[in-house]
Amino acid sequence: MNTGSNKPGEAAVAEGRTGTDESEAERALGSRAPEFVKARRALHLSWQVGVFIVGLAVVVAGIIMLPLPGPGWVVIFGGMAIWATEFVWAQLVLRWTKRKVTEAAQRALDPKVRRRNIILTAIGVVIIAVLAGIYLYKFGLQMPWKIEDQ
């Protein structure tokens, strides 16, 4: 595995970061496998294959849950988190995703955006209420098909 370091067992550090702080943003990139696993190449490769297979199973389960009932995206990101324990590319994808989600949350809290969302929601509720009123005026509380005749 290429961790971006010339020394075996040493994790690469993100550009401009020291890796000494324990906060998640400052964490070093690379494998988080135990040292005894990293010390043996065959064991480390087996560990990576196992992590990849478990992460793949979780991601596939999340993809299956997208059209079906279930927390599909949460499970997919859980699989990515499993991959991120071992693979730098997954760590970078998760960092990018966290940054984008944080930016979206900040934009959603903007007063102008909140006001717009409230107005659009109110318009949608009014449209649905008008359509429901038209339906009830035309058909009453009866279903449009005749269940008694079947």
Side-chain angles (χ1 to χ4, degrees), residues 78-125:
M80 289 296 295
I82 291 171
W83 279 339
T85 62
E86 210 40 52
F87 303 107
V88 173
W89 62 267
Q91 293 168 2
L92 295 175
V93 168
L94 276 181
R95 283 184 182 179
W96 179 84
T97 304
K98 287 177 186 176
R99 188 171 50 250
K100 291 298 179 184
V101 167
T102 302
E103 290 172 7
Q106 290 301 318
R107 278 195 313 269
L109 294 175
D110 180 30
K112 290 181 181 179
V113 174
R114 290 184 69 203
R115 191 175 314 117
R116 184 198 65 202
N117 289 345
I118 290 171
I119 290 170
L120 289 175
T121 302
I123 290 171
V125 167

Side-chain angles (χ1 to χ4, degrees), residues 5 7-9 14-15 28 30 36 69 74 103 105 108 118 121 129 139 146-147:
S5 173
K7 298 178 184 175
E15 185 177 324
F36 74 92
V74 173
E103 290 172 7
I118 290 171
T121 302
F139 298 107
K146 295 183 180 180
I147 299 175

Side-chain angles (χ1 to χ4, degrees), residues 61-62 64-72 75:
I64 290 170
M65 285 185 207
L66 286 176
L68 300 175
V75 174

